[in-house]
Amino acid sequence: MSEPAGELALSHRAEILRLSGITRAFQPGTPMETWVLKGIDLRLLAGELVALTGPSGSGKSTLLNQIGLLDYPTSGQLWINGTETAQLNDHERTELRNRAIGFVFQFHHLIHAFTVLDNVLMPLMIRHGKPSPADRALAVQLLTDMGLADHAHKPASQISGGQQQRVAIARALVTRPALLLADEPTGNLDTQSANTVFELFQHINQQYDCAILVVTHDPGLAARCQRTLTLVDGRMT
Ligand SMILES: Nc1ncnc2c1ncn2[C@@H]1O[C@H](COP(=O)(O)OP(=O)(O)OP(=O)(O)O)[C@@H](O)[C@H]1O
Ligand SMILES: [Mg+2]
């Protein structure tokens, strides 16, 4: 029996991420105790493009750190690609993080002395040493997608801030992650560069079927995502 294509797309998309009752307290049990996340439930399906907004200090970066397995929740459960992460040891967490998740931060932390291409290849070199011809081909393709093919062999120090941000996006994608986490990736860019970066997210989302969760303070950019999550005082509203 065949299903209509639209229904198929909706009902059969894999669940990339699920959070159930995630909390995070800093300095628990002390007079300084602060509950930053107060019970977050969230699901993200393959290929979704979702904005995360909320006032400064509402817990957005803290939440991204939980999802990116960079920090441990105080309570609650978190699944990535169907794997419940609390049961993983440190090695397995790192392996899952490297395999499934790409990160783009506001400050891109490129290695300035390396070429643009080598910066993009870095996550693969960390993973398995010398890049293969296929690795290099993918890195060049991603740089081409980012409009940076002509800059591949320049030192990263010799390109503009907006171009560096696009290199950081290519670097985050070179491992073909199922989920891209971006924490205010356009926060220090002018409107036009921010727009370019956002269009690239839309392109990546479609071209590579990569789910993207992007923190932004810009309501215009959030409106262009498929849905918007808003965090206020540690809770989703
Ligand atoms: N390591 C830490 N120890 C104690 N408190 C922390 C720590 N990290 C974050 N916080 C607190 O948690 C709250 C949320 O911080 P977070 O960085 O997640 O906010 P945010 O929503 O990303 O804000 P912004 O939009 O300014 O980036 C803040 O009150 C912050 O002071
Ligand atoms: Mg933040």
Side-chain angles (χ1 to χ4, degrees):
M1 197 170 69
S2 67
E3 292 181 61
E7 219 166 281
L8 188 76
L10 276 180
S11 62
H12 290 252
R13 278 206 214 170
E15 182 183 85
I16 298 297
L17 176 71
R18 177 146 48 112
L19 274 64
S20 175
I22 288 288
T23 71
R24 177 65 163 105
F26 291 108
Q27 285 104 32
T30 75
M32 301 287 287
E33 178 175 286
T34 319
W35 288 87
V36 174
L37 301 176
K38 299 175 182 172
I40 304 291
D41 299 326
L42 163 64
R43 274 180 91 215
L44 225 71
L45 303 181
E48 281 201 287
L49 173 56
V50 176
L52 176 60
T53 64
S56 182
S58 58
K60 302 180 298 297
S61 296
T62 304
L63 179 59
L64 245 54
N65 288 342
Q66 311 304 313
I67 296 171
L69 307 180
L70 298 171
D71 187 22
Y72 292 86
T74 305
S75 64
Q77 286 180 290
L78 195 159
W79 290 260
I80 291 173
N81 274 343
T83 300
E84 208 282 298
T85 54
Q87 59 174 343
L88 303 177
N89 64 32
D90 284 354
H91 172 76
E92 291 165 334
R93 272 172 76 89
T94 303
E95 207 275 325
L96 179 59
R97 182 194 308 121
N98 290 345
R99 179 164 43 83
I101 305 172
F103 297 92
V104 181
F105 296 104
Q106 182 172 3
F107 300 101
H108 28 70
H109 308 298
L110 298 184
I111 302 174
H112 281 181
F114 284 21
T115 65
V116 164
L117 181 60
D118 281 346
N119 269 280
V120 175
L121 285 166
M122 190 59 61
L124 295 175
M125 291 199 258
I126 289 169
R127 192 185 285 188
H128 55 235
K130 194 172 182 296
S132 68
D135 291 341
R136 297 184 81 83
L138 175 59
V140 169
Q141 178 60 51
L142 287 166
L143 284 172
T144 305
D145 291 344
M146 301 296 140
L148 293 171
D150 292 345
H151 300 282
H153 300 290
K154 286 187 185 169
S157 56
Q158 288 180 19
I159 58 174
S160 75
Q163 290 168 335
Q164 289 184 23
Q165 188 58 295
R166 284 184 273 153
V167 174
I169 297 170
R171 180 182 59 183
L173 290 170
V174 80
T175 57
R176 298 296 312 273
L179 174 61
L180 183 70
L181 302 174
D183 199 349
E184 290 187 62
T186 59
N188 60 349
L189 299 180
D190 62 71
T191 309
Q192 196 183 336
S193 304
N195 204 34
T196 305
V197 164
F198 193 80
E199 280 169 5
L200 288 169
F201 279 170
Q202 290 176 311
H203 169 75
I204 290 159
N205 175 243
Q206 283 158 21
Q207 177 83 14
Y208 297 100
D209 202 29
C210 176
I212 302 179
L213 182 59
V214 55
V215 173
T216 179
H217 280 118
D218 183 334
L221 293 185
R224 288 159 60 187
C225 291
Q226 292 155 8
R227 58 191 171 103
T228 299
L229 304 169
T230 305
L231 200 53
V232 176
D233 191 24
R235 294 181 206 278
M236 288 294 182
T237 60

